[in-house]
Amino acid sequence: MDKGIPIVTAFPGQVYGADSWFPQLFLEPLAKNKPVTGLKGHNPIFSPIHVDDCSRALLFLLDAGQPGEKYILVDDKPIRSGDITTLAAQALNVPDKKRYVPTWLCRMLLGPVLTEYATAHTNFSNEKLKKAGFTYLYPTIQAGIANVVEEWRKRENA
């Protein structure tokens, strides 16, 4: 900005899609009739965005973003991690299985950084992006999860 370059900054939330962390953490275990593992005593809030909406938002901001502004790329409704498991199970039409492990075990096996990531709340707002005129294909993870499951199943069967 100091050099006169019209920089627009975008910060994506948890981008989910058929080729993201989402199948590994939620779809694969549930499809194999295994539980999704969470941390005992933690049910953090996530601010997700569908991969298609994230890429569309980035392209949108190339034209509509205001230089010097920072935009958070997340959908309309943050969600708790335990609720994501339930939505994934419903989309797969399988039982909602969850298993909880103590935080100290996670810290010992994965270290403090990944444990912090797994327990941190990421409750962000997309207000500025929407005020700029961006519209979503999948305004919530509830609206986008069927698309992700469909794409994931296609890839699994290919």
Side-chain angles (χ1 to χ4, degrees):
M1 287 297 293
D2 293 342
K3 304 264 185 204
I5 299 171
I7 294 179
V8 175
T9 308
F11 299 99
Q14 283 91 356
V15 181
Y16 70 96
D19 293 316
S20 70
W21 51 270
F22 191 80
Q24 181 183 7
L25 294 180
F26 296 97
L27 301 181
E28 291 170 9
L30 290 168
K32 294 175 184 171
N33 200 30
K34 294 182 179 179
V36 171
T37 302
L39 293 178
K40 189 175 184 179
H42 296 277
N43 194 12
I45 297 171
F46 288 101
S47 292
I49 185 168
H50 190 286
V51 64
D52 292 351
D53 281 330
C54 185
S55 58
R56 289 177 57 253
L58 290 168
L59 293 173
F60 172 83
L61 290 172
L62 287 174
D63 289 329
Q66 295 300 309
E69 291 294 324
K70 297 174 181 165
Y71 297 85
I72 306 291
L73 309 184
V74 296
D75 70 20
D76 286 346
K77 187 177 176 188
I79 187 169
R80 294 216 173 255
S81 60
D83 296 337
I84 297 174
T85 304
T86 301
L87 287 174
Q90 289 170 349
L92 289 168
N93 199 26
V94 298
D96 180 8
K97 290 187 167 187
K98 299 172 188 162
R99 164 185 53 207
Y100 295 97
V101 297
T103 305
W104 65 263
L105 181 60
C106 182
R107 195 172 287 115
M108 185 175 80
L109 295 174
L110 300 179
V113 173
L114 289 177
T115 303
E116 173 68 22
Y117 181 76
T119 59
H121 293 288
T122 57
N123 188 5
F124 299 116
S125 169
N126 63 8
E127 181 180 359
K128 191 184 288 187
L129 181 62
K130 289 179 78 172
K131 281 185 178 177
F134 183 74
T135 57
Y136 289 82
L137 295 174
Y138 308 102
T140 65
I141 195 169
Q142 291 88 337
I145 199 166
N147 169 266
V148 171
V149 168
E150 179 183 343
E151 288 295 316
W152 177 72
R153 283 185 168 148
K154 283 181 192 174
R155 286 178 173 89
E156 289 294 299
N157 292 330

